[in-house]
C-alpha cells in the first residue's frame, strides 16, 4: 500500500462500474444525490447546504476515505457518470498493549451511498464486492465491518448479499436526527471468509 488510501489499488473496474478516489472536483456531483431526504435519512450527517457539505467532505480524514462509483458509458467515449460513493476507512483493531503494533491498520470500516435513480440494478452489490476484494487483496486487510440502523433494510440486506455476518443487533442504541432512538446492526467479514462459498467476488 503506497499511501493511506492504497494508492496502487485504485481505480478498480467491474463489468459496469469504475470505483476511484474521490477528488474535490467530484463533490458537487456527490452532493446532488446526498442532499436528497431519502438518502441522508440514513447518513451520519446531513449538511443543509452545498458549502457545508463541501467543507465537511474536504477534511483530509474524510476525503482520504472516500471513493466514487462511476457508471461506465455504453460506448468507449465519455467519462463514467458518478452514481454513488464508498467509504473505506482503514483503522486499527483493538489489541492488548503488548501486541498493539500488530493490530495497526489491519481492518476497515465500510460505508456506501447510491443515487436513488440507480438503485435496483445491482450496482451497489457489484461495487462493494469489488471494494471488499481490494480490501482483502491489494490492501492486505484481515477484516471489514459496517453498521446501519436496523430500519435501513436496503443496507443490511446488501451486507448479507455480500456474505457479511451479523455480529450485533442492539436495541435503541442509535439516536436518529428525528429524535427517535433506533435499533442498530453491525456486520463483519474476515479475509479467510472471502469470497463467500458459491459467490464470485
Amino acid at each position: 500500500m503506497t499511501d493511506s488510501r492504497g494508492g496502487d489499488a485504485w481505480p478498480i473496474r467491474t463489468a459496469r462500474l469504475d470505483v476511484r478516489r474521490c477528488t474535490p472536483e467530484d463533490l458537487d456531483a456527490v452532493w446532488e444525490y446526498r442532499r436528497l431526504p431519502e438518502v441522508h435519512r440514513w447518513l451520519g450527517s446531513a449538511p443543509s447546504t452545498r458549502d457545508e457539505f463541501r467543507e465537511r467532505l474536504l477534511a483530509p480524514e474524510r476525503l482520504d476515505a472516500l471513493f466514487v462509483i462511476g457508471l461506465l458509458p455504453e460506448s468507449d467515449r465519455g467519462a463514467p457518470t458518478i452514481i454513488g460513493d464508498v467509504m473505506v476507512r482503514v483503522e486499527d483493531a483493538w489489541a492488548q498493549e503488548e501486541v498493539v503494533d500488530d493490530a495497526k491498520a489491519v481492518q476497515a470500516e465500510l460505508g456506501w451511498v447510491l443515487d436513488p435513480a440507480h438503485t435496483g440494478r445491482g450496482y451497489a452489490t457489484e461495487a462493494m464486492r469489488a471494494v471488499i476484494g481490494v480490501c482483502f487483496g491489494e490492501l492486505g486487510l484481515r477484516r471489514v465491518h459496517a453498521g446501519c440502523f436496523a430500519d435501513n433494510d436496503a443496507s443490511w440486506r446488501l451486507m448479507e448479499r455480500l456474505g457479511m455476518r451479523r455480529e450485533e443487533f442492539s436495541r435503541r442504541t442509535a439516536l436518529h436526527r428525528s429524535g427517535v432512538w433506533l435499533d442498530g446492526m453491525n456486520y463483519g467479514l474476515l479475509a479467510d471468509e472471502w469470497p463467500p462459498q458459491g459467490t464470485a467476488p
Side-chain angles (χ1 to χ4, degrees):
M1 184 161 59
T2 62
D3 61 29
S4 63
R5 306 171 80 188
D8 290 340
W10 315 94
I12 53 178
R13 184 164 285 199
T14 69
R16 301 180 293 174
L17 305 171
D18 175 87
V19 183
R20 61 169 176 80
R21 301 175 182 186
C22 183
T23 69
E25 292 72 29
D26 296 322
L27 292 180
D28 285 347
V30 173
W31 164 255
E32 288 305 312
Y33 58 84
R34 282 226 186 182
R35 67 184 175 86
L36 301 174
E38 63 267 37
V39 173
H40 68 63
R41 174 186 182 191
W42 300 121
L43 301 182
S45 66
S48 59
T49 69
R50 185 189 304 265
D51 288 344
E52 288 179 21
F53 172 77
R54 287 186 62 85
E55 182 179 0
R56 182 173 179 81
L57 269 294
L58 283 172
E61 68 275 9
R62 294 188 181 277
L63 191 61
D64 284 351
L66 192 64
F67 301 82
V68 291
I69 303 170
L71 178 61
L72 296 171
E74 293 185 2
S75 69
D76 291 335
R77 292 179 293 179
T81 301
I82 294 175
I83 64 168
D85 58 84
V86 176
M87 178 190 74
V88 182
R89 181 178 293 134
V90 177
E91 60 188 16
D92 301 343
W94 186 88
Q96 291 181 311
E97 186 175 331
E98 296 84 355
V99 289
V100 70
D101 288 342
D102 295 330
K104 292 187 180 299
V106 296
Q107 65 183 30
E109 179 185 3
L110 303 180
W112 48 85
V113 181
L114 197 68
D115 183 338
H118 296 279
T119 58
R121 302 173 202 176
Y123 294 140
T125 304
E126 186 173 329
M128 293 312 299
R129 279 187 177 145
V131 167
I132 292 173
V134 166
C135 287
F136 292 148
E138 291 91 331
L139 300 189
L141 304 179
R142 64 173 300 276
R143 180 177 181 269
V144 296
H145 66 99
C148 68
F149 289 110
D151 288 350
N152 187 353
D153 292 350
S155 188
W156 65 259
R157 289 183 191 280
L158 170 59
M159 289 187 259
E160 293 189 355
R161 283 198 302 277
L162 293 168
M164 298 180 76
R165 173 186 55 260
R166 186 183 300 178
E167 297 179 332
E168 180 184 24
F169 187 105
S170 55
R171 296 290 293 168
R172 299 179 189 169
T173 52
L175 182 59
H176 192 268
R177 64 178 57 92
S178 64
V180 177
W181 287 94
L182 297 179
D183 299 342
M185 300 170 74
N186 287 294
Y187 282 75
L189 184 68
L190 297 171
D192 60 15
E193 298 171 324
W194 183 260
Q197 188 173 9
T199 68

